[in-house]
């Protein structure tokens, strides 16, 4: 994915923005410095009745590939609050922050969207449910499947960060036996 340079200064509007490095831009007109920081995203490894929930992506990037439910953190949200919101938007689940506090791992990711490559830090939480809930796919989710953890089809999982989280879950599960 080609990195698209920023051209216009958000402070003064001048077409005098130049990249200082991969994350920092400076306006040659007014001196404003802009930092293109990493975006935070929260994802859920949902386990119920010995199975993991994998969702099918309904939108690009990687439409049709498998993913974990979750998404980007909005300003003013904690990771757990973002995850509760995303699980409601994508799956129709009514969970609370207390359901989403078991930290699993983090991984870096590149998220290409509409010609822009976003760098994200994806943080994953383990959500353990007693039974498989009713799922109502919406938003970015086109479908879902409950998968035996030993049979995860890694070749159809969309992002390296999601693959990392699933492998971490498997490693953690194997070491706790």
């Amino acid at each position: 994915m080609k990195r698209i340079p920023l051209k216009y200064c958000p402070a003064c509007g001048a077409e005098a923005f130049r990249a200082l490095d991969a994350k920092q831009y400076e306006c040659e007109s007014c001196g404003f410095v802009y930092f293109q920081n990493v975006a935070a995203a929260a994802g859920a490894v949902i386990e119920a009745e010995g199975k993991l929930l994998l969702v099918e992506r309904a939108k690009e990037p990687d439409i049709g590939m498998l993913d974990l439910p979750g998404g980007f953190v909005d300003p003013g949200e904690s990771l757990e609050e973002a995850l509760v919101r995303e699980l409601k938007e994508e799956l129709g689940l009514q969970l609370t922050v207390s359901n989403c506090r078991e930290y699993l791992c983090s991984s870096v990711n590149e998220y290409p969207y509409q010609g822009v490559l976003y760098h994200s830090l994806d943080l994953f939480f383990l959500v353990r449910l007693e039974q498989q809930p009713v799922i109502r796919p919406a938003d970015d989710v086109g479908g879902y499947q409950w998968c035996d953890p030993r049979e995860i089809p890694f070749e159809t999982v969309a992002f390296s960060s999601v693959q990392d989280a699933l492998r971490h879950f498997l490693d953690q599960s194997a070491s706790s036996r």
Side-chain angles (χ1 to χ4, degrees), residues 55-67 86 89-90 111-114 138-143 158-159:
V55 298
E56 181 183 316
R57 294 189 55 77
K59 298 178 181 175
E60 292 294 352
D62 294 330
I63 190 169
M65 299 285 284
L66 295 177
D67 199 355
E86 288 286 348
E89 290 173 5
E90 294 183 349
Y111 190 85
Y113 184 71
Q114 295 186 351
D139 195 32
D140 295 343
V141 175
F159 303 107

Side-chain angles (χ1 to χ4, degrees), residues 49-124:
E49 300 176 31
K51 304 273 185 171
L52 298 182
L53 180 67
L54 298 176
V55 298
E56 181 183 316
R57 294 189 55 77
K59 298 178 181 175
E60 292 294 352
D62 294 330
I63 190 169
M65 299 285 284
L66 295 177
D67 199 355
L68 290 172
F72 289 102
V73 178
D74 288 342
E77 281 184 320
S78 70
L79 288 165
E80 297 88 349
E81 290 167 339
L83 191 54
V84 167
R85 175 184 51 75
E86 288 286 348
L87 294 175
K88 181 177 181 182
E89 290 173 5
E90 294 183 349
L91 306 174
L93 294 180
Q94 298 287 333
L95 299 178
T96 65
V97 166
S98 63
N99 298 114
C100 301
R101 288 200 190 274
E102 190 175 343
Y103 176 74
L104 185 63
C105 66
S106 67
S107 185
V108 296
N109 192 28
E110 290 184 345
Y111 190 85
Y113 184 71
Q114 295 186 351
V116 177
L117 182 61
Y118 294 90
H119 295 274
S120 67
L121 175 60
D122 300 348
L123 297 107
F124 296 93

Side-chain angles (χ1 to χ4, degrees), residues 45 47 52 101-106 124-128 149 163-177:
V45 175
E47 180 184 39
L52 298 182
R101 288 200 190 274
E102 190 175 343
Y103 176 74
L104 185 63
C105 66
S106 67
F124 296 93
F125 294 83
L126 180 57
V127 178
R128 297 179 197 267
Q163 292 176 18
D164 290 346
L166 291 168
R167 285 190 175 97
H168 186 83
F169 171 81
L170 292 173
D171 291 346
Q172 181 178 305
S173 297
S175 67
S176 67
R177 288 185 205 150

Side-chain angles (χ1 to χ4, degrees), residues 6-21 24-35:
L6 299 173
K7 287 177 66 172
Y8 299 97
C9 175
C12 73
E15 190 176 350
F17 234 26
R18 66 179 174 97
L20 298 175
D21 56 38
Q24 188 171 269
Y25 293 81
E26 182 179 46
C27 178
E28 294 174 338
S29 180
C30 73
F32 175 77
V33 177
Y34 170 77
F35 293 91

